[in-house]
């Protein structure tokens, strides 16, 4: 990714009366695969609206932009950082949006953060920032926030400090977010195509955390159950485009291996302990 450049037009943030959506962009680098030690990178968006905040991968915005311009079949830019959330202003209740295969779910969680604010200060770009720490999601986090920016938020669910979080990382350096730029919009930005409804097709099914954990485990144990049962019609082809009979045992083994490897959730205490058969 490009070298992080801090926006010199930060003073525009103060034009609260003229803006309905304050959009902040963060570069995220995270250890997705703890087995093969694979780090991934993405851009994460934070939208601060009059009534709510939202956070999601910038690739959803790219796909949505292509959709609005497209005159033919829509292309999708897949998100690398897959976590999508929203919450009402002055609430600690988050909606977490997750997909499993062709199903889309919303899971409500209470995520109030208790911060310890340090006297330690430094500068990020031309802004003075202050250090704060919290324990959240099974990780210890270190944040740097600026009281010059009147937004008590940061990327993902991080919130509750007296200023915008510009940098935050966990103590094991498995997740790190760095602010890169911002934009202000006079009208509240619409995210219904990819957040509230998944790519315009799938409305989220509300489930509890316990129910969602079971759904993830059920999918892991038999990821092709709908296809094998005939509930979903899928035709498989080889590399030459010739129809073939699927090898479900091998396909299941490959899928389970991928799920085990890509299981380093940002909220580590919410991860699924997938069994090895």
């Amino acid at each position: 990714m490009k070298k992080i450049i801090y926006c010199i037009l930060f003073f525009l943030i103060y034009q609260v009366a003229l803006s309905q959506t304050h959009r902040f962009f963060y570069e995220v680098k995270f250890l997705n695969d703890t087995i093969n030690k694979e780090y991934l990178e993405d851009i994460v968006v934070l939208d601060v609206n009059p009534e709510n905040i939202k956070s999601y991968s910038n690739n959803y915005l790219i796909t949505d932009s292509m959709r609005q311009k497209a005159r033919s079949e829509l292309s999708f830019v897949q998100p690398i950082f897959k976590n999508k959330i929203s919450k009402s202003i002055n609430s600690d209740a988050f909606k977490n949006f997750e997909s499993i295969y062709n199903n889309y779910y919303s899971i409500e969680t209470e995520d109030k953060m208790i911060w310890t604010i340090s006297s330690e200060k430094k500068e990020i770009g031309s802004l003075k920032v202050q250090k704060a720490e919290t324990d959240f999601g099974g990780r210890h986090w270190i944040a740097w926030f600026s009281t010059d920016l009147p937004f008590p938020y940061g990327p993902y669910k991080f919130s509750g400090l007296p200023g915008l979080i510009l940098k935050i990382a966990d103590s094991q350096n498995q997740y790190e977010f760095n602010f890169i730029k911002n934009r202000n919009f006079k009208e509240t930005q619409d995210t219904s195509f990819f957040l509230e409804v998944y790519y315009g097709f799938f409305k989220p099914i509300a489930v509890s955390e316990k129910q969602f954990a079971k759904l993830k485990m059920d999918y892991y144990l038999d990821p092709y159950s709908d296809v094998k049962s005939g509930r979903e019609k899928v035709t498989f082809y080889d590399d030459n485009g010739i129809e073939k009979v699927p090898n479900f045992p091998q396909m299941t083994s490959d899928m389970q291996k991928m799920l085990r490897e890509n299981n380093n959730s940002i909220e580590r205490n919410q991860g699924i302990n997938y069994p090895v058969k």
Side-chain angles (χ1 to χ4, degrees):
M1 289 190 177
K2 296 180 180 179
K3 182 179 179 181
I4 296 176
I5 301 175
Y6 289 92
C7 181
I8 62 173
L9 300 179
F10 243 127
F11 68 90
L12 292 178
I13 294 175
Y14 289 101
Q15 297 179 340
V16 176
L18 301 178
S19 302
Q20 291 299 306
T21 294
H22 302 273
R23 179 166 286 170
F24 305 95
F25 297 82
Y26 294 81
E27 181 184 69
V28 60
K29 182 178 181 180
F30 62 101
L31 182 63
N32 186 62
D33 181 348
T34 58
I35 298 174
N36 299 308
K37 304 299 181 183
E38 178 188 18
Y39 278 85
L40 300 178
E41 295 183 356
D42 201 356
I43 301 296
V44 171
V45 176
L46 166 67
D47 283 347
V48 180
N49 302 311
E51 296 181 353
N52 55 51
I53 65 165
K54 304 174 183 180
S55 183
Y56 49 85
S57 168
N58 185 59
N59 284 347
Y60 289 113
L61 289 180
I62 295 173
T63 295
D64 196 27
S65 177
M66 292 191 301
R67 173 187 68 90
Q68 296 179 42
K69 296 177 181 178
R71 296 182 179 178
S72 58
E73 185 176 348
L74 176 63
S75 298
F76 293 89
V77 180
Q78 293 298 327
I80 307 301
F81 184 80
K82 300 184 183 300
N83 299 82
K84 298 188 290 182
I85 61 94
S86 70
K87 85 174 187 73
S88 298
I89 298 294
N90 299 323
S91 170
D92 296 319
F94 283 84
K95 275 191 177 180
N96 305 262
F97 297 94
E98 301 264 5
S99 58
I100 302 177
Y101 193 46
N102 285 334
N103 294 308
Y104 193 47
Y105 300 96
S106 66
I107 308 97
E108 187 169 304
T109 58
E110 292 284 336
D111 298 298
K112 184 176 182 178
M113 298 180 191
I114 306 300
W115 294 92
T116 300
I117 298 178
S118 167
S119 60
E120 185 176 349
K121 297 180 180 180
K122 65 178 183 179
E123 289 189 356
I124 293 180
S126 59
L127 290 168
K128 293 181 179 180
V129 294
Q130 191 167 353
K131 183 179 180 180
E133 300 182 55
T134 190
D135 292 314
F136 172 70
R139 300 179 188 274
H140 183 72
W141 296 91
I142 300 170
W144 295 90
F145 67 96
S146 174
T147 56
D148 293 332
L149 308 172
F151 298 94
Y153 309 113
Y156 188 51
K157 296 180 180 180
F158 299 107
S159 57
L161 287 169
L164 185 74
I165 295 172
L166 298 185
K167 178 183 178 70
I168 186 166
D170 74 302
S171 58
Q172 293 183 315
N173 292 317
Q174 293 187 356
Y175 280 81
E176 181 177 329
F177 298 84
N178 288 283
F179 170 82
I180 50 176
K181 64 180 180 179
N182 72 284
R183 291 186 65 189
N184 290 322
F185 298 88
K186 292 183 179 180
E187 297 181 353
T188 301
Q189 297 301 287
D190 182 18
T191 60
S192 60
F193 174 70
F194 57 84
L195 188 71
E196 290 83 355
V197 179
Y198 191 54
Y199 288 132
F201 298 107
F202 304 102
K203 292 184 179 180
I205 303 167
V207 296
S208 67
E209 291 181 84
K210 185 176 180 180
Q211 288 171 326
F212 186 66
K214 184 179 185 304
L215 287 166
K216 291 182 73 173
M217 182 61 78
D218 289 345
Y219 179 72
Y220 174 83
L221 295 174
D222 195 358
Y224 299 98
S225 60
D226 286 348
V227 179
K228 291 187 293 183
S229 67
R231 290 191 296 270
E232 182 171 341
K233 303 296 182 181
V234 178
T235 304
F236 295 88
Y237 299 91
D238 63 18
D239 293 339
N240 297 316
I242 299 173
E243 187 174 341
K244 69 175 184 178
V245 177
N247 182 348
F248 285 117
Q250 183 59 53
M251 291 166 59
T252 296
S253 178
D254 292 343
M255 177 61 75
Q256 290 175 338
K257 180 175 182 292
M258 185 194 75
L259 291 172
R260 288 195 305 271
E261 290 178 346
N262 298 274
N263 193 33
N264 188 31
S265 172
I266 185 171
E267 295 184 51
R268 187 161 47 193
N269 57 352
Q270 299 297 323
I272 306 296
N273 185 20
Y274 293 124
V276 180
K277 288 191 174 182

